[in-house]
Amino acid sequence: MGLLFNTFIAAFSSIGAFLFGGIIASVLTMTRFEAHFGANPSIQGAIVSTFSGGCFFGAAIAGWLNDRYGRKRTIQFGSFIILWGCAMQTGAHNTATLIIGRIIAGFAIGILSMTVPLYNTEIAPPKIRGFLVGLTQECIGVGFLVANWVGYGCQFINSDASWRLPLALQLLPAGLLLVGIQFLPYSPRWLLEVGRDEEARKVVYILHDTRGSAELEEAAEKEYNEMHDTIKAELLLRSRKISDLWATHAMIKRTLISCAVQIFTQFTGINIISYFGPLMWQSLGMTGGKALLMQGIYGVVGPIATLIFIFFIVDRVGRRKPLIFGAATFVATFSIVAAILATNPVADASSRPADPGAQIAGIAMIFLTNIVFSASFGPVSWVLASEVFPTSTRSIGTSVATCCNWAFNTMLSQVSPIGINNIGYKFYLVFVCFNFVNLIVIVLFFPETKGKSLEEMAELFGDSILDVERTENRREDKTSDNDAKYDS
């Protein structure tokens, strides 16, 4: 039951949090939606990017919320805010109300996008941490899949319900998460941070499902003791200063890698397909319902690829190799898509039909990009960004890395519809360059973290003897200060 319970916790917290991002792609090209809010690329970009902008600020505050109130309560807070934002979007009668609702919902998703991987990282055994944290990406993929097919079905409704209904359905997972997370355990590491040691021990035993097994009890006690000793030592030095993220050479390396993997995930270009997929299909000569149908089919392959990857691969081959494979593949796929669009332009539905061979090749490359992303950057980015930090900086470090993700997401969301409409195939060459840079940096600088406990990362990242000595000195100084206060 231990593995099943761990899996249920990770899946439930993730699926509640991530059934939101893809719904806007399904409604942007609906006739009723365009009639209500316009079809201007700048407006479309604003509707998408303001959500990402809200995510940035949510991720920025999430570190403080997690330290102050814990992972569980922060997830509940984010779920409540989502209900507010999604209700505004559903009832919007003008662009301003829609955008404000998107910002509020984005703020909440920013909180959850940082907190859920952090929570899953802290409850996961090291040997299956990649699988459990990778469930975040699996549920993102399922969310996009549901959104795409809901959008495809709702396009046939001949009223404003065609776009209001998909937006309203976002309320269901938010409400489920708000109520359901109450029945899941607290992070044992956070419980140790706030002095609730016995509760933490009980959670560790529950996660190991030690009933009737002396061997499992021994393993649980060993993990708890290691966790306890490391966290209590780090708490003597704990601070919430952002400058701690570059206080030592090892911390600089952690911070750069965590931020880089989140930025590189945006540089892959995958969210351009997710948010503006119908526009891409139109550029290949597919319009109207065909574009939405293709987007729906496209959404099926990602979750399947992710599930296979996190179940069979990520905890065996690690994090680094899939990232290298993904970046190299994206250089090739975006190069081919750009070449197809350059040699077979389709300006609009009234122009000459697209060449069938070129259209099939373009579709194949976009599908391949989705499959490879779902088996590389998609799950690995959430795993790596949250597992590299020590307890003393894990919340703020994961928060900063997630902010980087949403900052670049916002930028690309704003410029992408303009780029697709104005410069066509040349826009995809940008992602060829981005992914080439990704490839070089990953090969030269990214370490392998698979199988390491969160407390073993210090050795991997090369915490120096000098850093350890400074830690001991500061610990002794703080102990002396406490003794002096007691004596007085």
Side-chain angles (χ1 to χ4, degrees):
M1 179 179 172
L3 175 60
L4 291 176
F5 188 54
N6 275 273
T7 303
F8 173 78
I9 293 171
F12 181 84
S13 60
S14 299
I15 201 169
F18 292 109
L19 284 177
F20 306 94
I23 200 71
I24 198 64
S26 300
V27 304
L28 275 179
T29 57
M30 288 183 179
T31 303
R32 288 281 183 170
F33 185 87
E34 290 183 342
H36 208 97
F37 299 105
N40 186 295
S42 297
I43 294 176
Q44 290 180 335
I47 291 171
V48 174
S49 65
T50 49
F51 176 86
S52 303
C55 291
F56 173 87
F57 291 104
I61 198 175
W64 177 82
L65 289 172
N66 274 278
D67 284 338
R68 180 68 179 83
Y69 300 106
R71 307 352 174 188
K72 229 172 82 164
R73 296 293 179 238
T74 302
I75 290 173
Q76 283 185 309
F77 175 72
S79 302
F80 177 77
I81 299 298
I82 287 172
L83 292 173
W84 176 21
C86 291
M88 287 189 66
Q89 293 176 59
T90 303
H93 288 284
N94 54 56
T95 304
T97 304
L98 178 67
I99 288 178
I100 292 173
R102 294 277 295 167
I103 293 172
I104 292 172
F107 178 81
I109 291 297
I111 292 173
L112 295 177
S113 67
M114 177 265 173
T115 305
V116 171
L118 176 65
Y119 176 63
N120 290 343
T121 295
E122 292 187 343
I123 66 165
K127 291 184 179 180
I128 59 169
R129 188 168 62 242
F131 167 66
L132 294 183
V133 183
L135 284 172
T136 299
Q137 182 60 36
E138 173 67 14
C139 293
I140 291 174
V142 171
F144 275 105
L145 171 63
V146 172
N148 290 337
W149 284 105
V150 167
Y152 177 73
C154 288
Q155 69 171 317
F156 299 107
I157 301 174
N158 190 26
S159 69
D160 281 352
S162 62
W163 59 269
R164 292 191 191 275
L165 179 58
L167 295 177
L169 288 177
Q170 298 175 105
L171 298 168
L172 294 178
L176 180 63
L177 183 62
L178 176 64
V179 176
I181 195 69
Q182 178 64 31
F183 301 99
L184 299 184
Y186 286 96
S187 161
R189 289 177 169 84
W190 180 77
L191 290 172
L192 285 169
E193 290 178 47
V194 296
R196 295 158 63 174
D197 295 10
E198 282 307 309
E199 287 184 63
R201 185 193 297 271
K202 291 178 182 178
V203 171
V204 172
Y205 273 63
I206 290 171
L207 293 174
H208 278 266
D209 190 26
T210 58
R211 293 172 299 177
S213 173
E215 183 179 349
L216 289 175
E217 281 191 14
E218 183 180 350
E221 187 65 23
K222 180 180 179 182
E223 180 178 333
Y224 171 78
N225 288 333
E226 179 181 305
M227 191 185 302
H228 176 276
D229 294 345
T230 302
I231 290 173
K232 294 301 182 182
E234 289 178 346
L235 283 175
L236 293 173
L237 306 172
R238 188 176 186 84
S239 98
R240 293 188 175 91
K241 296 186 297 182
I242 195 170
S243 60
D244 288 348
L245 296 180
W246 54 83
T248 66
H249 181 270
M251 282 305 306
I252 292 173
K253 187 175 181 181
R254 286 182 172 98
T255 303
L256 289 177
I257 288 172
S258 184
C259 292
V261 75
Q262 292 285 359
I263 294 170
F264 290 174
T265 299
Q266 295 302 318
F267 282 177
T268 63
I270 193 65
N271 278 337
I272 307 310
I273 305 174
S274 299
Y275 293 153
F276 303 105
L279 295 178
M280 294 188 67
W281 304 122
Q282 288 172 12
S283 70
L284 289 168
M286 306 183 72
T287 59
K290 289 183 178 179
L292 285 175
L293 177 61
M294 186 57 63
Q295 185 75 356
I297 298 172
Y298 165 87
V300 173
V301 299
I304 295 173
T306 297
L307 186 61
I308 294 171
F309 176 74
I310 63 176
F311 196 82
F312 294 107
I313 299 174
V314 66
D315 286 312
R316 289 179 172 84
V317 305
R319 296 27 165 168
R320 189 170 177 269
K321 290 179 181 178
L323 293 178
I324 292 172
F325 172 73
T329 302
F330 299 147
V331 171
T333 56
F334 277 105
S335 296
I336 294 172
V337 170
I340 291 170
L341 294 176
T343 55
N344 297 271
V346 180
D348 53 49
S350 62
S351 63
R352 64 180 178 84
D355 177 78
Q359 191 178 69
I360 292 172
I363 292 170
M365 289 302 101
I366 294 175
F367 270 72
L368 179 60
T369 299
N370 186 23
I371 293 170
V372 174
F373 176 85
S374 300
S376 58
F377 281 86
V380 171
S381 61
W382 298 112
V383 176
L384 190 60
S386 58
E387 71 181 357
V388 297
F389 291 106
T391 299
S392 58
T393 56
R394 187 170 297 129
S395 290
I396 192 170
T398 307
S399 176
V400 168
T402 308
C403 282
C404 291
N405 181 309
W406 289 115
F408 281 85
N409 188 310
T410 302
M411 178 191 70
L412 292 173
S413 298
Q414 181 62 45
V415 304
S416 293
I418 301 172
I420 292 172
N421 279 280
N422 292 344
I423 61 175
Y425 79 91
K426 296 177 183 177
F427 183 69
Y428 301 103
L429 295 177
V430 173
F431 295 100
V432 175
C433 298
F434 280 164
N435 282 291
F436 183 75
V437 173
N438 291 356
L439 176 63
I440 299 301
V441 174
I442 292 167
V443 168
L444 294 179
F445 300 109
F446 274 41
E448 181 53 69
T449 59
K450 75 164 182 173
K452 301 286 184 182
S453 72
L454 298 181
E455 288 70 37
E456 290 173 342
M457 291 294 176
E459 180 181 355
L460 178 65
F461 282 92
D463 286 317
S464 66
I465 295 176
L466 180 59
D467 294 335
V468 175
E469 289 177 350
R470 287 173 178 168
T471 298
E472 293 297 331
N473 290 336
R474 291 174 64 186
R475 189 180 302 154
E476 290 172 3
D477 290 343
K478 188 161 186 177
T479 302
S480 298
D481 291 342
N482 291 337
D483 291 342
K485 291 177 182 177
Y486 177 79
D487 292 340
S488 62

